[in-house]
Amino acid sequence: MRALIIEPSPTYQRILSRMLESYDFDITFVDTATAGFRAMTAHHFQFVCVAMYLADLTGIEFCQQARTDEQAKHLPIFIVTSESNPELLSSALAAGATDIIRKDDLPRLEEALHSLIPLGPFRYNISGKALYLEDSLTVAKATDAKLKRLGLSMDHAFSIAQALELLQHNKYELIMTDIVLQDNETGIDFIRQLRSESRFQQTPILAVTSLESVNRRILALQSGANDYISKPVLDEELFARINNLVSANRLVDQLTRERQRLLELATKDHLTGLYNRHFMGEVAKRRFAEARKHQLPLSLLVIDIDHFKQVNDQHGHHIGDKVLKRIAEALRQQFAEHDCIARFGGEEFVVLLHQQDLTMATDKAHQLCQLLEQLQPEGIATSVSIGVTSLSSAREEFFDEVFARADKALYQAKQSGRNQVVTAS
Ligand SMILES: Nc1nc2c(ncn2[C@@H]2O[C@H](COP(=O)(O)OP(=O)(O)OP(=O)(O)O)[C@@H](O)[C@H]2O)c(=O)[nH]1
C-alpha cells in the first residue's frame, strides 16, 4: 500500500507520517507538485495528500492536472489545508479533489481513508462466497482476483442452469450476474427466477451491465437487482458497491434474528418452548372469532400433571423441570401444528384444538392421558388429569368462559381420582 504526501512543511510531513504509521503505508514524501507527478509516473499510489500551497502549483491546480491523466482519474486525492475560505474549498472540489481535510481536523483523513480504500488496514469486513454468472472466462477470472482482495471467494457459472445448480449446494453472500449471456439467456431472466423463490428474496444481487445500456440497467433494477455496475468495472467502485450490498444484507439478517428472538421471548415459555399464556390468549381471540363466523368446531383441553409437587419434593426442582420439558415435547408430538399448545403456568398446559368437535377432542384427550401414563419421564411414573370442552354453537362465547368450563372439568377429574378425562359440554 503506497501513499503519496505532497507537503512542503516538514512539521506537517511528520504529523501525517505519525498519523498513518500504524497503517503500514509505504509513504513517499515530496514537497512540490512536479516531484509529485514524477513519483506518480514511477509508482501506483492508493491515495495522495496534497497541500494547498506548493512552490510550483496550488493543490487545486495539482488536482486539475492529475484528473487529466487516465491513471489518476479515480485516485483519491485529499487537499490538506488550513484554509477555511468556502469559495476556495468548493473550487478545490470542482477541480477534482476527493475531499478537503482541515489541518485542525486531521482525524477526518482517517475516516475518509476507511471509506475509500478497500485494502490493507482498511480492508472491508467481508468474508464468504460470491456467485458470478458470466459467459466470459477471462472476465470471470479477473473478477475472481478482485473479489479475493475483498475477502470473498467466487464460484463461476457460465449459464443460468449451472448457476442454479451451484445455488442448490452453496450459500452465497452475493450474487453477481452479467446481463448479456450466451444462448439467448439474459441476467434479467436469472434475476427474475431468483426473486421468484422465497429463499433468494433477500440475497444481494449485483447486475453487471455495459455502460451504454441504460434501459437494461433499469430493467435489471426493476427485476430485483439491488444495484448495478457498468463495464469497464472500476475496482474501487466495485468494492464500494459490494461492501454496501453485503453490509446492508448482514444488517437486515441481524435485525431479522433480533426480531425473531424478541418475538420468541414475548410469545414463548422459556422452559418448555411452548407458547405462553399471553400468546394463547391472542391466538384464542382470532380462532374464536373465526369459528363463530364460519360455524366451525373448536375445542379446548386443560391438562394438569398429577401430584407434581411430589416430583419436585422427591427428586428436586431440577428433575421437575426435565419432566415438564419431556411432557411438553410429548404434547408437541401429539398435536398438529395448527393446534395451539401453551404452558399456562406451573404444571398446567392448554391446547386449542383447531376445527375439532367435543367427540374428537375427548378422544384425543384419552389418547394423551394413556400416552403420558406410559411416558415415565426421567424414569418417574407420572399422569395427568384433563378437562375438555368445546365452543358452543348455540350462543356467543369467549375464551375466558370456555376456559373456565374446561378448568372446572379438570377440577372434577382431579376430585375423581386423577389420571382421567372429564368432558364438559
Ligand atoms: N420444577 C418445577 N416445578 C414447578 C414449576 N412451576 C411450578 N412448579 C411446581 O409445581 C407444583 C404444583 O403443585 P400443586 O399445585 O400443589 O399441585 P400438584 O402437586 O401437581 O397436585 P395436583 O395438581 O392436585 O395433582 C409446585 O410444587 C410448584 O413448585 C417449574 O417451572 N418447575
Side-chain angles (χ1 to χ4, degrees):
M1 286 280 289
R2 280 179 174 273
L4 174 62
I5 311 263
I6 312 173
E7 172 62 66
S9 150
T11 313
Y12 271 103
Q13 282 195 6
R14 264 200 309 282
I15 291 172
L16 286 168
S17 161
R18 214 169 300 139
M19 202 179 100
L20 298 172
E21 72 187 358
S22 61
Y23 295 109
D24 200 25
F25 281 118
D26 187 354
I27 304 176
T28 303
F29 287 102
V30 293
D31 55 6
T32 63
T34 313
F37 284 125
R38 208 177 307 125
M40 283 160 70
T41 332
H43 304 288
H44 173 69
F45 292 102
Q46 264 70 43
F47 74 96
V48 176
C49 285
V50 59
M52 184 64 99
Y53 298 108
L54 304 165
D56 46 359
L57 290 179
T58 64
I60 297 177
E61 288 162 340
F62 173 85
C63 285
Q64 263 162 348
Q65 275 195 33
R67 293 309 185 207
T68 60
D69 175 11
E70 199 53 39
Q71 297 280 334
K73 216 170 179 175
H74 304 288
L75 177 66
I77 303 176
F78 300 98
I79 296 190
V80 182
T81 178
S82 321
E83 279 289 349
S84 57
N85 175 348
E87 277 174 25
L88 194 70
L89 300 183
S90 71
S91 44
L93 291 174
T98 306
D99 204 353
I100 319 289
I101 308 294
R102 293 270 308 272
K103 283 186 171 168
D104 56 5
D105 188 17
L106 281 179
R108 233 172 75 75
L109 177 62
E110 284 191 82
E111 283 168 27
L113 290 177
H114 273 279
S115 56
L116 272 174
I117 305 217
L119 300 174
F122 304 108
R123 189 177 289 278
Y124 290 128
N125 186 20
I126 293 181
S127 58
K129 278 165 66 150
L131 172 66
Y132 189 16
L133 172 55
E134 161 64 64
D135 53 10
S136 154
L137 184 61
T138 322
V139 174
K141 276 191 172 159
T143 308
D144 186 20
K146 289 178 190 184
L147 295 192
K148 271 206 183 76
R149 289 165 64 197
L150 249 188
L152 287 172
S153 66
M154 190 192 93
D155 282 349
H156 172 218
F158 283 98
S159 65
I160 294 182
Q162 216 181 350
L164 292 175
E165 177 64 24
L166 283 164
L167 283 160
Q168 291 292 334
H169 309 288
N170 297 281
K171 183 178 174 340
Y172 294 105
E173 295 278 329
L174 171 79
I175 299 175
M176 289 172 64
T177 179
D178 197 20
I179 293 300
V180 183
L181 301 167
Q182 279 173 348
D183 302 328
N184 282 336
E185 287 193 329
T186 72
I188 306 283
D189 298 332
F190 179 50
I191 295 168
R192 284 191 184 136
Q193 217 163 324
L194 290 175
R195 291 307 190 213
S196 70
E197 286 191 45
S198 60
R199 67 196 165 121
F200 299 127
Q201 219 110 84
Q202 209 191 297
T203 313
I205 302 178
L206 179 67
V208 186
T209 69
S210 54
L211 194 57
E212 69 280 3
S213 57
V214 180
N215 289 340
R216 287 210 196 101
R217 290 208 296 264
I218 294 170
L219 198 57
L221 292 172
Q222 285 171 337
S223 307
N226 300 84
D227 199 1
Y228 64 82
I229 188 156
S230 301
K231 289 179 187 173
V233 172
L234 294 173
D235 289 5
E236 275 71 21
E237 186 185 356
L238 179 73
F239 293 153
R241 286 188 191 272
I242 291 180
N243 183 55
N244 286 351
L245 287 177
V246 174
S247 312
N249 189 47
R250 283 193 182 162
L251 194 63
V252 170
D253 269 356
Q254 207 178 320
L255 290 173
T256 310
R257 277 198 302 275
E258 187 58 16
R259 185 175 170 275
Q260 189 58 36
R261 201 182 66 82
L262 290 174
L263 201 66
E264 297 245 321
L265 277 178
T267 60
K268 300 257 174 98
D269 162 51
H270 75 277
L271 179 72
T272 61
L274 295 177
Y275 289 119
N276 59 24
R277 185 179 192 132
H278 170 76
F279 186 73
M280 166 67 93
E282 294 298 312
V283 173
K285 258 189 231 158
R286 288 199 299 274
R287 297 266 173 96
F288 271 57
E290 182 191 58
R292 279 196 304 266
K293 188 171 168 196
H294 302 289
Q295 296 284 300
L296 295 169
L298 184 67
S299 298
L300 198 74
L301 307 188
V302 181
I303 305 154
D304 192 282
I305 307 173
D306 297 327
H307 299 305
F308 189 62
K309 188 173 178 308
Q310 287 176 17
V311 174
N312 276 332
D313 291 348
Q314 288 171 16
H315 305 275
H317 205 266
H318 172 63
I319 297 295
D321 279 358
K322 287 192 171 175
V323 170
L324 287 170
K325 280 197 213 171
R326 186 66 196 89
I327 287 178
E329 189 54 43
L331 291 178
R332 229 182 260 121
Q333 283 164 7
Q334 190 69 1
F335 295 102
E337 205 155 289
H338 47 245
D339 296 328
C340 182
I341 314 166
R343 180 178 176 212
F344 242 46
E347 77 308 5
E348 185 175 75
F349 302 89
V350 172
V351 185
L352 198 57
L353 286 171
H354 190 61
Q355 296 187 8
Q356 306 216 13
D357 62 21
L358 195 59
T359 314
M360 293 152 95
T362 307
D363 284 351
K364 282 262 168 74
H366 280 295
Q367 284 167 21
L368 182 69
C369 217
Q370 282 171 19
L371 178 104
L372 294 182
E373 196 183 0
Q374 289 156 15
L375 187 70
Q376 304 229 341
E378 300 299 306
I380 301 166
T382 42
S383 66
V384 294
S385 300
I386 306 179
V388 188
T389 195
S390 288
L391 179 66
S392 166
S393 54
R395 58 194 184 83
E396 189 171 78
E397 279 192 315
F398 293 91
F399 179 72
D400 287 350
E401 199 178 339
V402 177
F403 174 79
R405 192 161 61 239
D407 201 37
K408 203 165 156 198
L410 166 69
Y411 179 74
Q412 281 171 21
K414 291 272 182 189
Q415 292 301 102
S416 314
R418 297 177 173 79
N419 192 19
Q420 57 189 282
V421 176
V422 170
T423 300
S425 48

